[in-house]
Amino acid sequence: MDVSCWDGTLSLNEFSRAARTFAEKWKIGNSAFPPWLWVNVPKRPFVASQQVDGFLSLENICLIRPSKVCGAEVSHLEEEETGFSEKEVAIDDATLVLSNHHEMHYYDFHIVYSASYRVPVLYFRGYYSDGCPLQLNEIEKDLPACSAKVLLESKWTFITQEEHPYLNRPWYKLHPCGTSEWMKLLFLGEAALAEKRVAIELYLVSWFSVVGQVIGLRIPIEMMNDRTN
Amino acid sequence: MEAQKYVWEGAIPLQIHLNESEVTTLLLLLPALILAPRIGYLPLLIPLIKPHFAATLPPGVDTVWFDYKGLPLKWYIPTGVLFDLLCAEPERPWNLTVHFRGYPNNLLIPCEGEDSVKWSFINSLKEADYIISGNCKNVMHMSQFDQLELWHSVMNGNLEAYLRTSSKLKFGIVEDEYTLKIDLCSQKSRKTTGEVGMGGQMKTGKCFTLHDALKSLMPEFLVDKSLIDEESFRLEGEDEQVILSEDLSSNRMAAEGREISCQSVESTCTSGAAEIKLVRIQGIEPKLEIPFSWVVNNLKNPEHFLHICVCLKFPQVNSLDR
């Protein structure tokens, strides 16, 4: 598909494909971190669609705030789960100055397809180690500084609290209304270098390179390098 | 025009009871009787309800929420839709319980009063805009003043003001024609779930009816078919509540530039295959042969969504031993 007439969106089927590609590349490029898992949505009896519906899930992630901890490195991920080998985590124990362990913040991230906006949407929620949910003002402290600022300025339109489309519980989401536009710009930039085609399976990789920064999840450069699949 | 007026003037008589555990008086506490606009939202009624119970409330901060038979109500769904969805047999007055404490944060999105409702409305409008025109520019470019005016017209049930302000949105009107324009079918293909098979209608030159719209969303239930898997219709205790108020927002359809969100209620039925028991829009049960464009133009809600409440009948299932 030619980039110039692409509108920046993708279909549900394309989303499923892109999700697979994204999860694979993440696994390879981010091997120290837990993988994204595809969760199938049970087909409801009255839904006309015959397509496979699902979303990507990354859960139990502890976001360490950058530069709040003395001597700490730039924010990276650490999984707090039994059975996870500590050797695999690139973290210097001596710099982990978190006074109260019960104040650790955990996050679940879901990448869900929006049928209205025809783009992926990031849903997330934060909680303490006992499962108590985090309020937005507490989540704010875990976000990179520029995101917190945007949040302050556009309280109702940037991060909104909505019902998770499949889990029927309140989750936070990054509002998707601008997504198709900046995705088109991203791919246009790529097309200038390489082919004019839109490699739709790379949609989520590019998408996450932007969205991840909002919540402080970095995407390693290795994931972006291989463009020729 | 007439029909829209009726819709905007439509209201649900509510009988609001205060949650028992919050009654701090020995005096007999009468429930509050309120007429709630169909196109409005429950939190907007709080200023009317609170004075009625103020004297009996315990001291502290109020976090208001409503429940119907124990089911916490989603405040961002228009009152009329909630009623049509939850009361298969319309209950008049509709008995609701109001709570001023103990907000169920794990189940319900918090509501900070009128502002929350306003933003939820604007976000829905943006979503409709995006589906219709591929971007949110129409709504985003509306001045703050106009946005407020639009919202106030909804809050006050002022159809004239609404029509005046919403014309600035440039959404355009769905043509009330008997044949669809060819343009619609050759538009860039949208591979969303439940794509409308309007092409088929085109060839016969017939009008696109409500029945056709429903068929594209729920084809299984408009044809008499026996159920294959009874297990999938087992209603577990807690899930039943969730299913009742479920908003099938994943079930969308672009129809002549308008959007539908299809919500459904499951109820046990006596016998036979699963089928549609009734279809309710704005409290009425329209004949399925009505041209869909008329339904959209006259029965849609102010945020440009058409809410169709469908009641399904499933065969009775014996509880399965696990």
Side-chain angles (χ1 to χ4, degrees):
Chain A
M1 177 182 7
D2 203 320
V3 169
S4 52
C5 51
W6 182 52
D7 64 357
T9 65
L10 78 176
S11 70
L12 180 57
N13 272 334
E14 289 168 339
F15 171 76
S16 302
R17 277 168 43 210
R20 204 173 309 133
T21 308
F22 175 73
E24 280 166 11
K25 282 183 169 288
W26 176 279
K27 221 175 190 172
I28 298 168
N30 253 359
S31 52
F33 304 122
W36 285 86
L37 302 171
W38 177 262
V39 179
N40 271 320
V41 172
K43 195 170 172 308
R44 285 175 288 194
F46 35 77
V47 172
S49 164
Q50 295 304 315
Q51 296 164 318
V52 172
D53 221 344
F55 57 91
L56 283 172
S57 159
L58 186 67
E59 298 188 350
N60 286 321
I61 299 302
C62 190
L63 282 187
I64 300 175
R65 304 195 294 276
S67 69
K68 290 280 173 75
V69 176
C70 55
E73 300 174 344
V74 176
S75 64
H76 53 271
L77 299 175
E78 174 193 328
E79 190 190 1
E80 282 278 324
E81 213 159 64
T82 55
F84 186 81
S85 162
E86 274 160 31
K87 291 189 221 118
E88 294 177 288
V89 180
I91 185 175
D92 181 358
D93 279 328
T95 66
L96 235 189
V97 190
L98 287 164
S99 45
N100 301 315
H101 268 262
H102 65 261
E103 277 181 17
M104 297 272 273
H105 296 174
Y106 297 86
Y107 288 85
D108 292 343
F109 299 102
H110 288 181
I111 302 178
V112 184
Y113 180 74
S114 162
S116 305
Y117 290 93
R118 300 191 304 282
V119 295
V121 182
L122 185 74
Y123 283 83
F124 63 95
R125 65 179 196 121
Y127 44 94
Y128 294 106
S129 45
D130 60 1
C132 272
L134 290 175
Q135 298 305 311
L136 191 57
N137 53 358
E138 291 157 328
I139 293 181
E140 220 175 88
K141 298 182 198 147
D142 290 333
L143 298 178
C146 43
S147 303
K149 184 165 172 289
V150 179
L151 191 63
L152 209 62
E153 291 162 5
S154 43
K155 177 182 178 193
W156 302 99
T157 54
F158 174 51
I159 293 182
T160 57
Q161 198 168 13
E162 278 187 26
E163 238 184 46
H164 190 290
Y166 302 116
L167 303 180
N168 274 310
R169 291 290 182 272
W171 278 59
Y172 290 98
K173 83 173 199 197
L174 290 184
H175 205 276
C177 55
T179 302
S180 62
E181 285 179 24
W182 54 256
M183 277 306 295
K184 178 158 184 170
L185 286 175
L186 263 186
F187 272 67
L188 268 175
E190 298 243 327
L193 305 168
E195 327 157 348
K196 295 289 179 196
R197 269 191 337 109
V198 173
I200 205 79
E201 56 277 1
L202 296 175
Y203 190 103
L204 275 180
V205 180
S206 302
W207 175 83
F208 196 79
S209 68
V210 175
V211 165
Q213 295 195 40
V214 172
I215 43 168
L217 286 181
R218 293 296 182 81
I219 204 173
I221 200 72
E222 294 80 36
M223 271 185 76
M224 303 297 292
N225 273 347
D226 182 17
R227 298 319 253 172
T228 52
N229 242 12
Chain B
M1 254 313 271
E2 275 280 308
Q4 254 193 316
K5 237 168 56 100
Y6 277 123
V7 168
W8 275 63
E9 285 166 9
I12 318 277
L14 304 180
Q15 185 162 242
I16 313 259
H17 308 258
L18 180 60
N19 171 40
E20 273 172 11
S21 61
E22 293 172 30
V23 178
T24 60
T25 174
L26 291 173
L27 297 170
L28 180 65
L29 194 64
L30 294 171
L33 296 168
I34 307 265
L35 206 56
R38 274 193 155 270
I39 53 146
Y41 301 84
L42 288 175
L44 300 178
L45 303 171
I46 294 168
L48 294 173
I49 298 170
K50 186 160 173 194
H52 189 93
F53 298 116
T56 70
L57 287 177
V61 181
D62 296 332
T63 49
V64 187
W65 57 285
F66 298 86
D67 87 67
Y68 174 58
K69 293 191 175 168
L71 177 72
L73 298 180
K74 297 182 187 179
W75 53 264
Y76 50 88
I77 297 183
T79 310
V81 179
L82 283 173
F83 181 66
D84 292 342
L85 199 61
L86 299 175
C87 275
E89 295 296 325
E91 194 185 298
R92 287 193 184 92
W94 193 26
N95 286 288
L96 299 182
T97 306
V98 68
H99 302 247
F100 287 84
R101 300 283 186 281
Y103 199 93
N105 277 305
N106 58 331
L107 294 174
L108 274 186
I109 299 167
C111 180
E112 293 165 33
E114 188 205 308
D115 257 356
S116 298
V117 189
K118 178 178 88 175
W119 284 107
S120 168
F121 172 81
I122 301 275
N123 276 328
S124 297
L125 201 61
K126 272 205 245 172
E127 195 177 346
D129 189 9
Y130 191 95
I131 294 166
I132 294 169
S133 51
N135 57 59
C136 301
K137 291 198 177 116
N138 283 318
V139 178
M140 306 271 266
H141 290 170
M142 234 188 163
S143 70
Q144 283 259 11
F145 180 78
D146 284 336
Q147 274 188 19
L148 257 180
E149 235 196 77
L150 191 71
W151 169 241
H152 285 152
S153 72
V154 175
M155 272 211 314
N156 302 326
N158 187 342
L159 178 60
E160 261 177 48
Y162 173 79
L163 289 173
R164 200 176 47 234
T165 325
S166 67
S167 64
K168 298 181 188 174
L169 273 175
K170 301 182 178 37
F171 274 4
I173 253 222
V174 175
E175 311 252 355
D176 266 330
E177 284 185 354
Y178 280 82
T179 47
L180 295 172
K181 296 200 163 71
I182 306 214
D183 297 318
L184 237 35
C185 301
S186 63
Q187 262 175 26
K188 51 191 174 189
S189 67
R190 300 164 124 168
K191 293 179 199 145
T192 51
T193 57
E195 207 177 320
V196 177
M198 292 197 283
Q201 291 307 312
M202 273 298 306
K203 289 170 190 142
T204 56
K206 271 197 223 143
C207 155
F208 191 73
T209 63
L210 177 57
H211 182 273
D212 298 326
L214 286 174
K215 187 150 188 190
S216 71
L217 282 171
M218 316 171 74
E220 305 94 56
F221 300 108
L222 282 158
V223 178
D224 228 61
K225 235 182 348 183
S226 51
L227 285 179
I228 304 162
D229 186 3
E230 288 190 345
E231 237 184 311
S232 45
F233 301 115
R234 179 183 36 188
L235 294 177
E236 285 141 307
E238 196 207 311
D239 283 335
E240 181 171 350
Q241 289 197 350
V242 173
I243 289 168
L244 280 175
S245 63
E246 196 158 7
D247 180 0
L248 300 181
S249 52
S250 61
N251 214 358
R252 299 220 180 262
M253 180 180 124
E256 299 180 77
R258 285 295 182 269
E259 264 290 317
I260 315 175
S261 86
C262 207
Q263 295 156 310
S264 80
V265 170
E266 289 182 24
S267 63
T268 54
C269 78
T270 45
S271 64
E275 56 186 25
I276 291 185
K277 189 169 147 189
L278 63 82
V279 175
R280 211 179 262 151
I281 307 176
Q282 298 292 7
I284 62 179
E285 290 171 39
K287 290 206 164 93
L288 297 187
E289 304 86 59
I290 297 180
F292 191 58
S293 53
W294 185 92
V295 176
V296 167
N297 279 331
N298 291 282
L299 303 182
K300 69 173 188 285
N301 273 62
E303 79 279 11
H304 282 264
F305 271 81
L306 178 73
H307 298 263
I308 303 180
C309 300
V310 177
C311 192
L312 297 175
K313 239 172 24 172
F314 292 109
Q316 204 140 49
V317 179
N318 295 322
S319 57
L320 300 169
D321 294 318
R322 276 182 276 171

